[in-house]
Amino acid sequence: MSVAHFAVGDRVQVRNLEVEEGLAGHMRAPVYCRGFTGEIERFCGIFGNPESLAYGRDGQPAQPLYRVRFRQIELWPDYRGAAADTLEIEVYQHWLKAS
Amino acid sequence: MSQNPPVTKAYHDVGGDDFGPIPTEDGAYQLWERRVDAMMRLLSSPQVGLMRVDELRRGIETLGEDVYNAEPYYGKWARSLAAIMIEKGVVTREDLDAKIEALRVERGLKR
Amino acid sequence: MSHDDHHHHHHSDHDAIEAPDTSNSDTALLADALRLVLIDKGVFSAHDVQDQLSLMDTRSDRNGAAMVARAWVDADYRAAMMADSAAAAKTLGYDTKGTPLVVLENTNDVHNVIVCTLCSCYPVTLLGPSPEWYKSKAYRARVVRDPRSVLREFGTDIAADREVRVHDSTADMRYMIMPQRPEGTAGLSEAELASLITRNGLIGVAEL
């Protein structure tokens, strides 16, 4: 099991493990958020890694999961909404790096 | 402001894509569809333990884009479940083909 | 990718149409065959399947509505629901079977809306089966990128000085919205309040 090392409020960038590590197959980090920076909104707990579970494996090492909040005007170049609008998604720790 | 080169997106990873108006159709599921839901719940139950939701998703993500676009919701589930039950050796393709043929005869369906 | 061809802009809460009968489609035959082969092999029984179908009928948006109505009238329940939503659901008889539930409270400052862009995860125990539009590529693609336009298609306009917050359920959490209690409802009973709460309000594409 991986130890949780991000705290609420930390600025984190979503990695692109397909590019960085050649990761292929089932993954739960949508492309639209990769490379972008948000902040940790909450720690959600430790969960089996879906990239492993999806292939009948045991999901280990289990990964800390976080809700990450992004500002919409930073995610989309043409965002049509309010400057205060946000988006939150759950990201597993191995997809995050300190920003 | 992504610092990475664009990745070819998987066909199910649609967040941010351009689409037209949200479709309005909705309706009750047919019995076969409800039974697919029941089947997945049973297969993923602790008692049976033959499926995980992650496997169902992975199966759907590997149906191919044409099937993904053409199949209704529970049709995607059924195809994924069948593929994974075959992958795990719980059933064989021959088991399924034989049963499908039997159902066609029983229902008077022409080929 | 293909586009949906339907250009209707009227979304009632439950737009039911006469669907074509697909019971003898190739996919339905495959589904039925799989179920029957698994029964033949003793993986589960026909009775098990029937039990699951009965349980399905107990999952509807009336469950989520009941939770929200209770939270509106009972401050202790509301606090419990915000602290541990799955446990609070269970005290009313709604068992999410270990799936973490998170209730998101709409306020004067924030309007929340839920989606699952990668598939169509949804709090079925509290809301029943998800609507077709929720599962559509159009909704999943657009609501993260232009939520206010999507909401307008549902007849919902959020003031510019309120934050629209989109939640993409990419992992195990399931979300439900707690809409704001409408004005002028002080005298209503809990049951009457529940009847005001719509499924679309619990998803976040509508206000009440």
Side-chain angles (χ1 to χ4, degrees), chain B residues 16 22 29-30 69 71 107, chain C residues 22 27 32 135 137 141 145:
Chain B
I22 315 291
Y29 285 116
Q30 307 203 303
N69 288 333
E71 286 288 348
R107 299 180 189 185
Chain C
T22 56
T27 303
D32 288 346
K135 299 193 270 276
K137 289 203 287 187
R145 183 165 165 194

Side-chain angles (χ1 to χ4, degrees), chain B residues 15-93:
Chain B
D17 290 352
D18 290 324
F19 272 90
I22 315 291
T24 57
E25 69 264 14
D26 198 9
Y29 285 116
Q30 307 203 303
L31 179 57
W32 74 265
E33 295 173 300
R34 286 156 52 86
R35 283 168 158 166
V36 171
D37 191 297
M39 186 161 48
M40 175 58 193
R41 283 187 182 266
L42 289 169
L43 289 172
S44 59
S45 66
Q47 295 80 9
V48 176
L50 283 176
M51 279 292 298
R52 299 195 63 110
V53 68
D54 317 83
E55 291 169 321
L56 179 71
R57 290 171 181 154
R58 185 258 301 178
I60 290 171
E61 291 159 14
T62 48
L63 293 177
E65 187 166 3
D66 291 344
V67 175
Y68 183 83
N69 288 333
E71 286 288 348
Y73 181 68
Y74 281 114
K76 294 193 245 280
W77 279 41
R79 292 195 174 276
S80 175
L81 286 171
I84 293 182
M85 287 297 99
I86 291 170
E87 180 185 289
K88 294 189 174 194
V90 178
V91 308
T92 66
R93 184 73 238 180

Side-chain angles (χ1 to χ4, degrees), chain A residues 16 22 24 31 34 45 56 62-64 66 71 75 87 91 95:
Chain A
N16 193 338
V31 167
R34 298 183 197 169
Q63 290 294 338
Y66 303 90
R71 298 187 64 198
L75 272 184
L87 178 145
V91 187
W95 278 87

